[in-house]
């Protein structure tokens, strides 16, 4: 079971049980859904972006421990960050969950998901929320100004 | 149980004998089962998705390719004659297995999905018009939903869905009520549900449809490896199944169709092998079954399916069903002892399959943790998303059994589920 503990680290189990920023953002400027076709899991992410900075971020939905914890950790990591940094962070995170690279510093708690690299069928779970954020930001690169 | 008398030294049946089957011998016929997964003995419980293959099937395919393989039907040389004889011999084996009236009623396809699409396209396309109705049930696999939706989109027909109870049993009165509209052109339903394990009362359902002049297609993908079926006794109009779920190779499916219906239907695909005469003005189609088998089929795989049916018939489906029923009862009682575990589908008539959820743990996580214990199950929507929606869950975990599974393997499943709970609590 020790190797399972590498995947299901305490931090992941904790974020799965008590996901952070787990709510709807009524005043969000950006929103998108992420669907994992493998299992039918669906999450929604909400962002409130002001002057190119993610002022607030939240998510909702049901998923496995990996996708829920990853979404929860992601919201913590992205809150307060400039939108321009999302792509960069996602790339670093993606590397961590798919390759044997050294975890780059600056990823912080996100690196607890590194265990996913040994479970190729679970990579999609770990990246689901990130794909949703990316879709949200791409679809409305210009915040909806009149609202 | 009478095996006991032959073994006076043993006070209890060894766990490797069940319903008169010698499971040690049966398991020895499956080379794949000997391996370890993550250092643990493989416990393969994903049989409803696809079942493993006995050596008799693997050898039949090997013998074809190394001994007598050639293209069929057209050759004048010996290898082609031998391949044709083996291929057509497999068709006769399927006919006998299903107790169909004639080999002309046995069409080889790629899988159940293609068999259903063939009927939706050829039969549906010529018979179904705007305003007509197709009746299915709420427990269908996507492959018995989407082809009818596509047909409805093309023709303006309407899909009607008969609901089922919380226990997973079809509500027959609702099914009958849907048939009563007078506009139904076909009823299509699953014999054995892959998501719930429910065995539908297909004989009665066919009678109810026929009483209203409605033809019936039965999706038998999950049924044929577990229950003896008889086309003439059932009297269904179409019956579909896949080789890969009945110990045969992947790449082959079967469509049984009543001869008169098949003869009246237009071809599904055009090409070689399905013609009698081609000129640029007009083509005459071949007789059944070739009319529906355009192009070179999966020759060795069809022959492999024939070997699988021989193998299964030699064991006997009644013995298989008895053994699997014991496994189901044992699994159900064992699983129900796990707090927070909820079995989805408790039909009175049910096959050896347990779909379940575990409170606080997503099925995907269950699947990953069990895999590390060597236990292969399926986690997901099982291509039956409407069933998941019916119960308000995104997914379930599913353990599904085959003839080679043992009580020890049920114990391994249960033990690893306790580990899941330990990890998540
Ligand atoms: C009830 C049922 N119908 C149809 C199918 C589709 O079978 P295939 O993928 O071989 O076409 C399956 C396979 O899972 C099934 O369980």
């Amino acid at each position: 079971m020790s190797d399972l503990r590498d995947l299901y680290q305490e931090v992941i189990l904790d974020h799965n049980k008590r996901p952070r920023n787990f709510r709807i953002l009524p005043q969000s400027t950006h929103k998108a859904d992420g669907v994992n076709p493998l299992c039918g899991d669906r999450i929604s992410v909400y962002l409130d972006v002001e002057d190119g900075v993610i002022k607030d971020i939240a998510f909702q939905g049901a998923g496995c421990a990996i996708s829920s914890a990853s979404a929860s950790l992601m919201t913590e990591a992205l809150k307060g960050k400039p939108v321009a940094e999302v792509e960069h962070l996602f790339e670093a995170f993606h590397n961590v969950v798919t390759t044997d690279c050294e975890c780059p510093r600056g990823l912080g708690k996100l690196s607890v998901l590194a265990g996913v690299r040994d479970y190729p069928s679970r990579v999609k779970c770990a990246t689901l929320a990130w794909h949703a954020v990316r879709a949200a930001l791409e679809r409305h690169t210009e915040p909806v100004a009149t609202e | 149980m009478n095996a006991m008398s032959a073994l006076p030294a043993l006070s209890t049946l060894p766990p490797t004998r069940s319903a008169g089957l010698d499971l040690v011998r049966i398991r020895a016929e499956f080379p794949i089962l000997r391996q370890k997964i993550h250092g643990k003995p493989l416990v393969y419980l994903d049989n409803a998705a696809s079942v493993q293959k006995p050596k008799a099937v693997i050898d039949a395919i090997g013998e074809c390719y190394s001994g007598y393989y050639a293209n069929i039907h057209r050759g004048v040389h010996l290898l082609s004659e031998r391949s044709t004889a083996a291929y057509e011999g497999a068709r006769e084996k399927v006919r006998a297995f299903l107790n169909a009236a004639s080999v002309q009623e046995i069409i080889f396809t790629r899988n159940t999905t293609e068999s259903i699409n063939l009927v939706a396209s050829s039969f549906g396309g010529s018979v179904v018009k705007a305003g007509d109705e197709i009746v299915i049930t709420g427990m269908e696999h996507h492959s018995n939903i989407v082809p009818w939706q596509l047909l409805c989109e093309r023709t303006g027909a309407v899909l009607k869905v008969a609901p089922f109870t919380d226990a997973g049993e079809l509500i027959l009165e609702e099914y009958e009520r849907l048939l009563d509209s007078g506009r139904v052109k076909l009823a299509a339903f699953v014999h054995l549900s892959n998501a719930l394990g429910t065995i539908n009362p297909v004989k009665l359902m066919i009678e109810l449809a026929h009483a209203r002049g409605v033809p019936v297609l039965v999706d038998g993908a999950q049924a044929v490896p577990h229950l003896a079926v008889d086309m003439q006794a059932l009297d269904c109009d179409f019956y579909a199944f896949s080789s890969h779920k009945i110990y045969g190779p992947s790449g082959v499916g079967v469509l049984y169709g009543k001869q008169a219906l098949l003869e009246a239907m237009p071809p599904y695909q055009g090409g070689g092998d399905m013609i009698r005469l081609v000129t640029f003005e007009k083509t005459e189609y071949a007789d059944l079954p070739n009319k529906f088998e355009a192009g070179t089929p999966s020759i060795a795989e069809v022959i492999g399916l024939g070997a699988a049916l021989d193998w299964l018939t030699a064991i006997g489906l009644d013995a298989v069903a008895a053994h699997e029923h014991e496994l189901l009862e044992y699994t159900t009682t064992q699983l129900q002892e796990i707090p927070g575990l909820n079995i989805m589908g408790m039909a009175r008539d049910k096959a050896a399959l347990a779909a379940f959820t575990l409170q606080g743990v997503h099925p995907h996580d269950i699947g990953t943790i069990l895999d590390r214990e060597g236990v292969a199950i399926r986690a997901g929507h099982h291509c039956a998303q409407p069933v998941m929606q019916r119960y308000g869950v995104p997914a379930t975990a599913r353990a599904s059994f085959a003839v080679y599974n043992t009580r020890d393997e049920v114990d391994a499943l249960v033990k690893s589920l306790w580990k899941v709970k330990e990890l998540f609590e």
Side-chain angles (χ1 to χ4, degrees):
Chain A
M1 201 129 109
S2 59
D3 55 344
L4 276 171
R5 284 277 176 204
D6 291 342
L7 178 64
Y8 293 106
Q9 304 215 6
E10 282 308 328
V11 178
I12 291 176
L13 294 172
D14 174 53
H15 275 259
N16 174 49
K17 241 184 212 164
R18 280 175 293 276
R20 321 296 197 265
N21 303 304
F22 189 72
R23 61 202 154 87
I24 294 171
L25 274 191
Q27 79 288 19
S28 63
T29 53
H30 302 68
K31 173 185 179 302
D33 293 337
V35 175
N36 186 347
L38 200 65
C39 51
D41 284 353
R42 177 183 289 269
I43 69 160
S44 306
V45 298
Y46 308 86
L47 296 111
D48 184 15
V49 176
E50 217 180 277
D51 300 329
V53 172
I54 299 172
K55 264 187 59 198
D56 204 356
I57 176 168
F59 81 104
Q60 279 253 297
C64 63
I66 304 301
S67 72
S68 299
S70 179
S72 172
L73 288 161
M74 178 194 75
T75 58
E76 286 193 325
L78 290 184
K79 202 181 275 192
K81 290 259 162 44
V83 168
E85 255 182 56
V86 170
E87 207 47 38
H88 178 71
L89 259 178
F90 180 33
E91 201 181 303
F93 176 71
H94 198 266
N95 272 336
V96 164
V97 295
T98 53
T99 66
D100 273 338
C101 68
E102 283 285 309
C103 282
R105 268 169 292 134
L107 265 187
K109 264 204 248 167
L110 290 175
S111 56
V112 299
L113 284 155
V116 170
R117 63 174 62 155
D118 294 328
Y119 298 79
S121 66
R122 305 305 297 274
V123 169
K124 281 205 172 107
C125 310
T127 53
L128 180 63
W130 288 89
H131 283 293
V133 162
R134 201 197 222 171
L137 291 172
E138 270 168 14
R139 217 170 294 154
H140 315 272
T141 26
E142 299 298 318
V144 191
T146 49
E147 285 181 7
Chain B
M1 298 293 139
N2 46 14
M4 286 273 292
S5 53
L7 297 164
L10 293 172
S11 56
T12 55
L13 279 176
T16 45
R17 282 198 79 88
S18 166
L21 295 181
D22 182 348
L23 294 185
V24 173
R25 214 208 71 222
I26 288 177
R27 289 181 69 81
E29 294 184 54
F30 289 80
I32 206 170
L33 296 180
R34 281 173 220 153
Q35 70 189 291
K36 295 206 159 154
I37 300 288
H38 303 300
K40 310 270 170 61
L42 166 63
V43 174
Y44 186 79
L45 301 179
D46 193 17
N47 296 291
S50 203
V51 74
Q52 301 299 349
K53 320 304 173 198
K55 203 152 174 310
V57 171
I58 301 168
D59 288 350
I61 296 167
E63 279 159 21
C64 170
Y65 280 130
S66 46
Y68 59 90
Y69 176 79
N71 209 336
I72 55 168
H73 292 154
R74 290 177 295 265
V76 291
H77 54 83
L78 181 64
L79 291 186
S80 178
E81 280 168 13
R82 287 184 60 195
S83 280
T84 304
Y87 181 87
E88 290 305 325
R91 196 189 309 276
E92 165 55 25
K93 288 175 187 183
V94 174
R95 185 212 63 74
F97 184 79
L98 296 177
N99 191 30
S102 149
V103 285
Q104 302 199 307
E105 300 183 317
I106 307 299
I107 315 287
F108 288 122
T109 61
R110 279 189 305 135
N111 45 38
T112 306
T113 303
E114 191 179 46
S115 296
I116 297 173
N117 274 282
L118 189 161
V119 176
S121 165
S122 170
F123 175 81
S126 53
V127 168
V128 175
K129 303 276 176 296
D132 288 345
E133 294 169 355
I134 312 280
V135 170
I136 62 172
T137 79
M139 61 177 96
E140 300 307 322
H141 187 279
H142 294 165
S143 66
N144 200 30
I145 303 173
V146 184
W148 308 117
Q149 285 175 329
L150 290 171
L151 175 67
C152 288
E153 268 171 34
R154 278 199 303 276
T155 57
V158 184
L159 194 62
K160 296 281 179 179
V161 184
F164 58 89
T165 65
D166 286 344
E169 293 179 343
L170 186 76
I171 304 173
L172 275 170
E173 301 73 45
E174 293 290 326
Y175 167 72
E176 252 192 293
R177 201 179 53 75
L178 292 178
L179 290 174
D180 273 336
S181 75
R183 293 183 293 272
V184 181
K185 285 289 154 62
L186 183 80
F189 46 78
V190 70
H191 192 163
L192 196 169
S193 157
N194 67 308
L196 300 166
T198 306
I199 299 171
N200 277 315
V202 286
K203 178 123 179 52
L204 175 60
M205 291 169 74
I206 293 163
E207 279 167 17
L208 291 171
H210 283 178
R212 294 154 177 89
V214 175
V216 172
L217 174 139
V218 178
D219 169 0
Q222 293 294 343
V224 286
H226 307 289
L227 318 163
V229 292
D230 180 329
M231 291 305 108
Q232 298 185 65
L234 278 182
D235 195 34
C236 59
D237 301 277
F238 301 103
Y239 196 96
F241 73 90
S242 296
S243 159
H244 71 94
K245 292 191 199 280
I246 185 165
Y247 305 96
S250 56
V252 179
V254 169
L255 174 68
Y256 159 85
K258 277 188 184 159
Q259 189 160 346
L261 281 169
L262 291 176
E263 270 168 359
M265 283 157 56
Y268 172 50
Q269 292 175 331
D273 260 349
M274 53 76 71
I275 50 88
R276 180 178 296 133
L277 179 74
V278 176
T279 65
F280 284 116
E281 287 69 45
K282 175 159 175 57
T283 292
E284 278 177 41
Y285 305 123
D287 290 333
L288 290 175
N290 302 38
K291 180 169 94 175
F292 290 106
E293 290 181 12
T296 300
S298 301
I299 299 164
E301 286 77 8
V302 164
I303 293 165
L305 167 62
L309 298 182
D310 282 346
W311 179 84
L312 187 58
T313 307
I315 294 178
L317 269 164
D318 290 343
V320 171
H323 163 57
E324 291 179 349
H325 186 72
E326 275 181 28
L327 283 178
L328 174 67
E329 300 223 303
Y330 184 60
T331 306
T332 305
T333 42
Q334 294 296 304
L335 289 183
Q336 280 171 335
E337 281 183 16
I338 301 176
L341 189 144
N342 181 35
I343 298 179
M344 226 172 69
M346 290 293 274
R348 280 158 293 184
D349 204 3
K350 187 180 166 182
L353 173 168
F356 57 90
T357 55
L358 191 55
Q359 207 176 358
V361 192
H362 190 280
H364 233 168
D365 297 311
I366 300 176
T368 292
I369 297 166
L370 264 52
D371 176 57
R372 291 282 145 159
E373 297 295 317
V375 181
I377 60 150
R378 181 141 295 227
H381 52 63
H382 317 293
C383 294
Q385 283 181 333
V387 175
M388 304 298 122
Q389 289 148 17
R390 162 74 174 73
Y391 288 102
V393 297
T396 63
R398 181 187 71 190
S400 55
F401 298 88
V403 63
Y404 44 66
N405 290 124
T406 65
R407 283 166 78 102
D408 288 351
E409 292 183 303
V410 177
D411 292 339
L413 165 72
V414 171
K415 208 168 125 214
S416 49
L417 284 170
W418 281 103
K419 286 204 172 150
V420 173
K421 283 184 73 75
E422 204 182 297
L423 191 67
F424 270 77
E425 255 150 32

